[in-house]
Amino acid sequence: MSKRKLSRQQRWRIEKIQAERAERAARKAGQDDEKLAAGEYGAERDGRVIAHFGRTLDVASRAGETPTRCHLRANLEGLVTGDRVIWRAGEDGSGVVVARGERDNVLERPDMRGLLKPVAANIDQILIVFAVEPEPHAGLIDRYLVAAEATGITPVLVLNKTDLLPDEGGELRGLLDRYRGIGYQVVATSTEVDGGLDALYAQLADRTSVLVGQSGVGKSSLIDRLLPDEQLRIGALSEDSRKGRHTTTTAQLYHLPAPDESLASGELIDSPGIREFGLTHLTEREVTEGFIEFAPYLGLCRFRDCRHRQEPGCAIRDAIDEGAIHPERFASYRRIVDSLDSQ
């Protein structure tokens, strides 16, 4: 599809708006420099970005404290929720962020143009939520795992609605055992039974986490239980989908109070933009590396350009025949790679 051409007047308006924004930023930067020189800002302190709103953001120095609305120095760009920063408090109750600390990692999603855009930073784990109902599909779980592996952030599987699970576990037990056998951690949760969130609280303790998963698996219900004082940020829930209507599109970091003295508190980053993410930005190599049980066999194929289809001497296919790789996981891998080829 060809891009729509802008008229001369439209181009002039866009350039005018951009110039005005640049002028405001420069003027604000000058005012900041004057205030800093005059001693109107306090001493530098460490903080973390709680939410981001364009050129302004909320920063807190300690977990759970009321955040301070800050603006950025003109030379700072690209800050996201979860970033560690150095900031200074102003006499008027606002603040200014003067530097960004190093990132452990950054979670990115492709935008409407297919370009990767940072959404959140310094995350310890991605919790992939699925449920007994709707019945989980291994292929969809695999897609989430591949996407998580590509970020370099540890994925954890969270099985929700376990109160609906048959006593014997059914086919789902075999599916969970398969993922545990690969090396993934599986946490069982339920909001309907006493103690149904104990394992989840333990997993969240002393970590910064992100929840992802398809609609209907109960993410909103989990978040409501984990953050009882933050329910207003989600609108009414649909009885059919249980999907929250968010009042904001920005990622926000929430302090998770510890349920008791035996556990540490944690932090949760939530945003409608990171609850679901796809694979369109990944290469075939990245997808292959996202199946972690393939790792011992990569580079051992007879041909360096082996795509693990029908090539002779394929180490991946040999591993399947030997029982080291589950055939259903390989079939899932093939479907994902084929979907990339068709795009």
Side-chain angles (χ1 to χ4, degrees):
M1 181 183 296
S2 60
K3 294 183 178 179
R4 182 173 63 90
K5 293 183 178 180
L6 300 176
S7 67
R8 179 179 300 177
Q9 183 179 9
Q10 288 173 323
R11 289 197 301 270
W12 175 82
R13 290 178 60 189
I14 292 174
E15 291 172 357
K16 182 174 182 292
I17 292 172
Q18 291 175 339
E20 290 174 347
R21 288 177 176 171
E23 182 182 353
R24 287 196 299 268
R27 187 164 58 249
K28 185 64 177 175
Q31 294 171 353
D32 289 341
D33 291 338
E34 293 176 0
K35 290 182 177 180
L36 288 169
E40 295 184 24
Y41 285 107
E44 292 183 350
R45 62 178 74 177
D46 294 331
R48 198 165 188 198
V49 176
I50 304 301
H52 189 280
F53 312 96
R55 295 295 303 177
T56 63
L57 37 81
D58 287 346
V59 175
S61 291
R62 296 184 302 276
E65 79 171 7
T66 301
T68 299
R69 180 62 54 89
C70 299
H71 51 270
L72 299 173
R73 296 291 303 276
N75 60 341
L76 286 179
E77 295 289 344
L79 292 184
V80 296
T81 299
D83 267 326
R84 302 184 187 98
V85 296
I86 298 175
W87 68 289
R88 300 174 68 172
E91 296 177 347
D92 60 355
S94 65
V96 57
V97 175
V98 297
R100 190 198 79 191
E102 291 188 12
R103 288 171 172 169
D104 297 331
N105 51 55
V106 60
L107 179 61
E108 298 178 311
R109 291 187 71 253
D111 60 16
M112 296 297 293
R113 296 172 295 174
L115 302 176
L116 289 178
K117 177 183 178 181
V119 178
N122 301 314
I123 301 165
D124 295 312
Q125 57 186 359
I126 296 177
L127 304 184
I128 302 170
V129 183
F130 59 109
V132 177
E133 293 181 5
E135 181 180 356
H137 296 285
L140 183 60
I141 296 174
D142 290 338
R143 294 180 71 88
Y144 275 108
L145 286 172
V146 168
E149 293 290 348
T151 68
I153 303 171
T154 301
V156 176
L157 296 176
V158 177
L159 174 62
N160 194 23
K161 305 182 183 179
T162 53
D163 53 289
L164 303 178
L165 191 66
D167 292 338
E168 67 279 5
E171 296 181 1
L172 187 54
R173 183 178 299 278
L175 180 63
L176 299 182
D177 289 342
R178 183 194 311 170
Y179 288 115
R180 288 192 181 99
I182 297 171
Y184 287 115
Q185 186 171 359
V186 180
V187 177
T189 65
S190 173
T191 60
E192 302 299 324
V193 298
D194 292 338
L197 297 182
D198 289 352
L200 182 59
Y201 276 119
Q203 186 64 38
L204 294 170
D206 205 26
R207 296 182 177 95
T208 299
S209 309
V210 167
L211 266 68
V212 301
Q214 68 177 135
S215 61
V217 296
K219 295 185 302 295
S220 295
S221 297
L222 286 176
I223 293 171
D224 285 347
R225 288 287 300 275
L226 294 170
L227 301 168
D229 296 330
E230 301 289 349
Q231 291 184 357
L232 292 179
R233 62 182 177 72
I234 296 181
L237 296 177
S238 164
E239 290 299 327
D240 294 329
S241 68
R242 301 298 299 166
K243 188 172 184 179
R245 296 200 297 270
H246 288 251
T247 59
T248 177
T249 58
T250 187
Q252 187 154 346
L253 187 149
Y254 296 96
H255 174 68
L256 292 171
D260 54 56
E261 295 181 355
S262 66
L263 293 174
S265 60
E267 292 172 320
L268 176 67
I269 296 179
D270 183 41
S271 167
I274 55 178
R275 288 193 176 193
E276 301 182 37
F277 53 101
L279 306 177
T280 56
H281 60 292
L282 298 184
T283 65
E284 181 173 337
R285 179 183 180 86
E286 289 172 321
V287 170
T288 304
E289 293 173 347
F291 282 77
I292 59 175
E293 69 269 41
F294 292 6
Y297 311 100
L298 297 179
L300 301 182
C301 298
R302 182 184 304 176
F303 301 104
R304 294 180 59 186
D305 61 348
C306 181
R307 297 189 67 193
H308 320 301
R309 295 181 183 270
Q310 301 298 328
E311 298 91 339
C314 173
I316 298 294
R317 298 190 68 87
D318 289 345
I320 298 171
D321 294 338
E322 295 169 1
I325 294 176
H326 199 286
E328 291 188 18
R329 278 276 286 178
F330 181 76
S332 181
Y333 162 74
R334 285 258 50 96
R335 286 193 294 270
I336 294 175
V337 171
D338 291 343
S339 71
L340 297 181
D341 291 339
S342 64
Q343 292 174 2

